[in-house]
Amino acid sequence: MNAAARKAAAAARLPAAVLVVVAVGAFLISYNLLAIVLRGGGGAVAGAGRERDPVVAMPGWMRAAGSAGGGRRRPFHVALTATDAAYSRWQCRVMYYWYKRMQARPEGADMGGFTRVLHSGKPDALMGEIPTFVVDPLPAGKDHGYVVLNRPWAFVQWLEKAKIEEEYILMAEPDHIFVRPLPNLARDDPAAFPFFYITPSEHESVLRKYYPKERGPVTNIDPIGNSPVIIKKTQLEKIAPTWMNISIQMKEDQETDKAFGWVLEMYAYAVASALHGVQHILRKDFMIQPPFDTKLGNTFIIHFTYGCDYTLKGVLTYGKIGEWRFDKRAYQDRPPPRNLTLPPPGVPESVVTLVKMVNEATANLPGWDDGR
């Protein structure tokens, strides 16, 4: 069943009272949390003496091209959440480098503006290099040591304060590298990548705490996270507060936290979307994840979340440190060095391409060796 049909079926089963309860509950919880945090003046650039202009502009050439083309273009705004830690900074620099390279190609016409949504609460050294919007982290202790719990809260703040010209938003992550210009894959329904490890049907008893039976089967919950997702801004504005609230509720529920672990926030986004009757076009070609995906094929993004470990004969040794390796986690406190050693013969093209693209970015980014 396609996304539109599934959405219509879900809507038909939805009692109006449930919608009202969900909407009011989401608003009240979001408002209270916003009030707690924003008393500290979140959204301003620390030390600047004034609030930062929260306008995230579409490039002028893109606006002109859209007018000339009779409105056929459907640009999306790229937004990724990040911290000011060295680990996040170097990934953001590489990601932004390749965003600019792909946007500059003729096929990159749908790739609009870019914002790094920095949820550390204060500016960092990349403010002049990457377009950045500073938001507050969750109140102390509220993330329970699970830093990605700040992601939905960051989007709530950004959507509330920023003026985003594009109709669509791509939610991306620092460990994404664009390997081809990305068109707008969304239509009325958003587009998302299906993750093999997001399996709602295997966790029905847990998910019913957040997605009641009257809403329909748990298969209405898409097997996705929030990234990569291309979605209409109006849809995300409705989903984000619910996503934030459910993320916090899940983290504070021992059974749910144990069941979902590090992908808890991904499940929360999928549930929040389903509660709002939003279902996604599932695009397996959205991205690949080396070393398990070995070919580039027609993909648009490399997601380098997994370590890549190989023998010198090109044999994968996943779970065991290889004679040759590339793992982003080896560079928690500093960026990787320039000119990383290329993989040995026999290593698949996805990994070879990843390392070559990291090397090209680091060779061209100023001050790389300084670790900024």
Side-chain angles (χ1 to χ4, degrees), residues 89-133:
R89 292 199 309 271
W90 73 257
Q91 293 178 56
C92 288
R93 297 189 75 192
V94 172
M95 195 272 196
Y96 185 58
Y97 173 87
W98 284 108
Y99 152 80
K100 291 190 297 181
R101 287 289 306 276
M102 297 303 161
Q103 186 201 44
R105 295 184 183 181
E107 316 94 282
D110 283 347
M111 300 176 74
F114 186 103
T115 301
R116 180 181 62 133
V117 184
L118 182 64
H119 54 75
S120 300
K122 60 184 185 301
D124 66 1
L126 296 183
M127 300 293 290
E129 179 178 335
I130 304 176
T132 297
F133 191 85

Side-chain angles (χ1 to χ4, degrees), residues 190-237:
F193 176 80
F195 289 90
F196 69 88
Y197 48 79
I198 302 298
T199 53
S201 60
E202 295 179 10
H203 298 283
E204 179 166 5
S205 62
V206 172
L207 288 171
R208 285 306 186 192
K209 297 180 180 182
Y210 315 97
Y211 191 77
K213 286 186 177 181
E214 56 264 30
R215 300 304 303 269
V218 292
T219 51
N220 288 345
I221 302 170
D222 290 327
I224 61 171
N226 84 290
S227 177
V229 167
I230 302 178
I231 186 170
K232 285 185 176 180
K233 180 174 59 178
T234 52
Q235 292 172 319
L236 187 56
E237 286 171 340

